[in-house]
């Protein structure tokens, strides 16, 4: 990871923790384990390209996955060991390609099923645009996230909510930017060109870093308004992926190892923090 990005990450994490701490929800481990859950977000939560061929692999999802022997101990699988009543009640409402503008609709779906627990991971597609100039504006991102969390908060009883920070796009670039296979995949499929285009300058990439920092602060601040909402304190963003965390199908989405890592990070933040 570059020195500038390390500095920005170090700058962000205390801010995320401080914002998320007001108000401070009770530790999740003191609450009853949920008997149902839903996952909101995009292709990361759909486990797109995680393994075995292109496409969504929701059975391998860090949040709701139940694939046997995949090495991913999802939140659903961990909760199943703690509360057998959750068996079969693991709705993955995420949609590949979704942006924050899709989140309110997904939240409305979650209210229809009256789930006890909701995970939220969104923002990568708002950052991944053909160019930095075409990223989602911060205020638009803020409004969509706020609307979605307000919708969830209107449920009775209120669900427990975990809002994850956005995975580190600059960290992905730093880990694989010199890999010819990754470069070929990124250019051939035009994946996340705002960050990954070979023609980008460092200043152009830092525009994406700055927008990601702003989005992560928005997520923490929006969550901090609700007593049943917890964030990961910036832990997902702070994780710099290793090559093994990244799918070799597109060199962008998490591999099975990456999904397992994401599950570990978010579980510690949401249920052991």
């Amino acid at each position: 990871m570059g020195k500038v990005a390390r500095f920005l990450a170090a700058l962000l994490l205390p801010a995320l923790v401080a914002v998320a701490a007001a108000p401070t929800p009770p530790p999740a481990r003191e609450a009853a384990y949920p008997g149902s859950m839903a996952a909101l977000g995009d292709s990361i939560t759909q486990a797109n390209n995680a393994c075995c061929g292109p496409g969504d692999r929701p059975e391998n999802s860090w949040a709701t996955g139940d694939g046997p022997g995949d090495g991913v101990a999802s939140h659903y699988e961990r909760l199943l060991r703690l509360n057998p009543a959750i068996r079969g009640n693991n709705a993955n409402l995420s949609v590949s390609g979704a942006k924050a503008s899709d989140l309110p609709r997904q939240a409305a779906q979650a209210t229809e099923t009256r789930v006890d627990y909701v995970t939220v991971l969104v923002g990568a597609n708002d950052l991944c645009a053909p160019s930095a100039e075409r990223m989602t504006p911060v205020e638009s991102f803020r409004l969509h996230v706020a609307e979605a969390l307000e919708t969830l908060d209107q449920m009775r009883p209120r669900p427990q909510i975990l809002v994850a920070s956005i995975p580190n796009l600059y960290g992905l670039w730093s880990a694989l930017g010199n890999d010819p296979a990754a470069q070929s995949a990124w250019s051939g499929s035009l994946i996340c060109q705002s960050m990954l285009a070979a023609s980008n300058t460092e200043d152009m990439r830092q525009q994406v870093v700055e927008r990601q920092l702003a989005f992560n602060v928005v997520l923490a601040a929006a969550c901090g308004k609700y007593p049943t909402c917890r964030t990961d304190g910036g832990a997902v963003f702070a994780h710099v992926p290793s090559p093994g965390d990244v799918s070799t199908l597109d060199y962008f989405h998490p591999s099975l190892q990456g999904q397992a890592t994401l599950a570990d990070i978010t579980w510690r933040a949401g249920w052991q923090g």
Side-chain angles (χ1 to χ4, degrees):
M1 189 176 183
K3 291 182 179 179
V4 174
R6 277 199 300 269
F7 170 75
L8 289 171
L11 198 64
L12 170 70
L13 294 178
L16 283 175
V17 173
V19 171
T24 302
R29 63 177 177 269
E30 295 179 3
Y33 291 114
S36 58
M37 70 173 293
L40 314 186
D42 53 33
S43 56
I44 296 175
T45 300
Q46 276 292 321
N48 185 268
N49 289 350
C51 80
C52 319
D56 291 344
R57 303 283 175 178
E59 67 274 15
N60 304 131
S61 171
W62 67 273
T64 57
D66 56 3
D70 62 1
V72 181
S74 71
H75 284 222
Y76 167 71
E77 290 170 316
R78 296 177 198 230
L79 289 168
L80 182 60
R81 292 195 291 268
L82 297 166
N83 181 11
I86 200 174
R87 184 178 299 278
N89 298 317
N90 53 329
N92 192 330
L93 304 178
S94 64
V95 178
S96 288
K99 297 183 178 182
S101 58
D102 300 297
L103 204 59
R105 179 189 58 79
Q106 294 179 22
Q109 286 184 281
T111 65
E112 293 173 4
T113 57
R114 301 179 64 84
V115 294
D116 300 328
Y117 173 49
V118 181
T119 64
V120 179
L121 174 55
V122 75
N125 291 316
D126 295 274
L127 295 164
C128 286
S131 66
E133 290 73 22
R134 295 175 62 180
M135 293 184 293
T136 299
V138 175
E139 188 56 30
S140 296
F141 187 84
R142 188 192 323 276
L143 290 172
H144 295 313
V145 170
E147 180 182 350
L149 293 185
E150 174 62 24
T151 296
L152 294 176
D153 188 64
Q154 290 173 4
M155 293 172 62
R156 294 295 182 272
R158 290 183 174 92
Q160 299 175 59
I161 304 169
L162 174 66
V163 176
S165 52
I166 307 166
N168 194 321
L169 295 178
Y170 192 93
L172 176 66
W173 163 259
S174 298
L176 294 173
N178 294 321
D179 185 323
Q183 292 174 349
S184 177
W186 296 341
S187 62
S189 300
L190 299 179
I191 298 173
C192 200
Q193 295 297 279
S194 53
M195 173 60 74
L196 302 176
S199 59
N200 286 349
T201 65
E202 179 65 15
D203 285 344
M204 293 165 71
R205 292 193 174 89
Q206 289 305 319
Q207 290 182 51
V208 182
V209 172
E210 291 171 6
R211 187 63 55 88
Q212 181 163 11
L213 293 172
F215 283 176
N216 280 333
V217 169
V218 165
L219 290 166
C223 180
K225 295 179 180 178
Y226 301 102
T228 59
C229 188
R230 295 173 64 83
T231 74
D232 68 354
V236 170
F237 173 76
H239 173 71
V240 179
S242 69
D245 286 329
V246 185
S247 170
T248 55
L249 293 172
D250 60 13
Y251 291 89
F252 180 76
H253 287 94
S255 61
L256 287 180
Q257 176 181 311
Q259 288 285 334
T261 299
L262 187 55
D264 287 343
I265 293 171
T266 51
W267 180 262
R268 286 196 299 269
W271 295 94
Q272 297 177 350

